[in-house]
Amino acid sequence: MKKIIKKLLIITLAAVTAITAMPLTGIDAANIFTFKASAAEKSEPFMWGDYECIIINTNEVEIKTYYGDDTEIVIPSEINGMPVTSIGENSFHGNDRSYYHPNSANNNNIRRVVMPSSVKSIGHEAFTFIESLSEVILSEGLEIIGEFAFADCPLLTEIRLPESFKSFSFTSFENTGITELVLGSNVTNLSLYDFEESVLKKIICNAENVYIEKINLTVRDTALSEIVFNGSFTVDSESLLTSFGNIK
C-alpha cells in the first residue's frame, strides 16, 4: 500500500513539474489555473516591445506611452491576443516645453504613422508637436480623434478621415498644414472653435443631422472660408454661425 501511495506522489509531482515548466505561449492559462486576475489588476501598465500599454474594457489594449526611436510607426492591431482599440492621450507627444514626455526627443523624429482598423479612438494630444510628422494613414474603424491630437505638426499637409469617423474637433489639426477636410456620412457632431492658428480653408461634410457645437467663427480670425454641408445640420448658436457667413 505504501509503495502505491509513493508511486502516486511521484506521478503527481511529475505532472506539477511538467505544468510549471510548460511554456505559456499558445496555452489558455485559465484552463490550468483557477485564479483569474480582476479588471483592476489587468489595468496595470505593462510593456510590449517599445509600447507601454494598459488593458481597457476587460479585453482591449490602449497604448499609453511609446518609448522607441522608429521614424515610421505602424500601430499593432493586436497585443497579447487583444485588439488595440485606443491610442492614449500624450502617448507619442513630441517636443514641447509646456509638457514633459520621457520620449519626446525620439518622438519628434517620427515621419509616418499607420493606424490599423482595430483603433477606434486617438486621445488628446496623442501626436502633437511632432515636427517631422508628414503622413498619417487612418483606417476604417476609427471613430474619434481627440482635441489637439495632431496639433502643431507643421509638415502634415493632408489627411483622409475614414467613413467610420464620427466626432470632429477643429483643434485636432490645429497649427498643421492641412487646408481641406472631408467628413464622411457618419459624423454626428462638429466643433468649430479656436481657428486662429490654422491654414484650414475648407470643410466638406457629407453627413445628415450634424450638430454643430462650440461655434466661434469670425472672418477676421480664421483662414476658413467655406463650409459645405451636403446634408442637414443644427447649431447651438445661430447668431455666431450667421456672423461667419460662409456656410453652404
Side-chain angles (χ1 to χ4, degrees):
M1 185 66 171
K2 288 182 178 179
K3 289 182 178 180
I4 293 173
I5 293 172
K6 187 175 181 180
K7 285 182 178 180
L8 288 173
L9 287 172
I10 292 172
I11 292 170
T12 303
L13 181 60
V16 171
T17 302
I19 290 174
T20 305
M22 190 182 299
L24 294 180
T25 304
I27 294 176
D28 185 359
N31 292 331
I32 301 174
F33 305 104
T34 56
F35 171 79
K36 291 184 179 180
S38 67
E41 289 168 320
K42 281 188 174 183
S43 67
E44 290 297 314
F46 65 93
M47 292 300 299
W48 188 86
D50 293 326
Y51 300 103
E52 181 184 29
C53 310
I54 57 173
I55 296 175
I56 60 174
N57 302 325
T58 305
N59 60 356
E60 299 176 3
V61 174
E62 175 180 288
I63 291 177
K64 183 174 169 53
T65 309
Y66 177 67
Y67 288 99
D69 57 6
D70 292 333
T71 59
E72 178 172 335
I73 303 295
V74 179
I75 301 296
S77 59
E78 286 189 0
I79 288 178
N80 291 345
M82 293 173 285
V84 176
T85 60
S86 175
I87 307 301
E89 64 177 45
N90 301 307
S91 49
F92 293 81
H93 203 291
N95 283 329
D96 174 25
R97 292 180 181 179
S98 66
Y99 177 81
Y100 169 75
H101 188 288
N103 200 48
S104 62
N106 286 329
N107 289 346
N108 202 49
N109 296 320
I110 295 173
R111 297 177 182 175
R112 186 171 188 260
V113 174
V114 180
M115 293 283 171
S117 58
S118 61
V119 172
K120 298 177 183 177
S121 66
I122 299 174
H124 174 81
E125 296 191 2
F127 295 90
T128 191
F129 282 99
I130 301 180
E131 295 177 0
S132 299
L133 185 61
S134 60
E135 185 178 11
V136 175
I137 307 298
L138 305 175
S139 296
E140 287 296 331
L142 181 68
E143 298 179 358
I144 299 170
I145 298 177
E147 293 184 2
F148 306 101
F150 294 96
D152 295 282
C153 297
L155 297 185
L156 189 61
T157 58
E158 62 179 328
I159 194 163
R160 189 191 71 82
L161 298 173
E163 186 67 19
S164 56
F165 187 64
K166 292 182 178 180
S167 180
F168 171 79
S169 170
F170 172 75
T171 59
S172 301
F173 304 102
E174 182 179 274
N175 230 357
T176 66
I178 296 172
T179 59
E180 180 174 310
L181 284 173
V182 179
L183 309 180
S185 60
N186 286 304
V187 170
T188 57
N189 68 291
L190 185 61
S191 295
L192 301 176
Y193 66 108
D194 292 340
F195 278 71
E196 289 87 347
E197 299 180 11
S198 170
V199 297
L200 182 65
K201 295 179 180 179
K202 184 176 183 180
I203 295 175
I204 301 172
C205 186
N206 295 316
E208 291 285 348
N209 303 317
V210 180
Y211 176 64
I212 307 176
E213 60 180 350
K214 297 181 179 177
I215 299 171
N216 182 15
L217 294 177
T218 58
V219 174
R220 62 178 175 79
D221 65 11
T222 177
L224 186 66
S225 60
E226 187 177 7
I227 303 177
V228 178
F229 282 92
N230 293 321
S232 59
F233 63 90
T234 57
V235 297
D236 67 356
S237 175
E238 287 285 353
S239 59
L240 285 175
L241 182 65
T242 54
S243 70
F244 175 65
N246 292 280
I247 307 291
K248 294 183 179 181

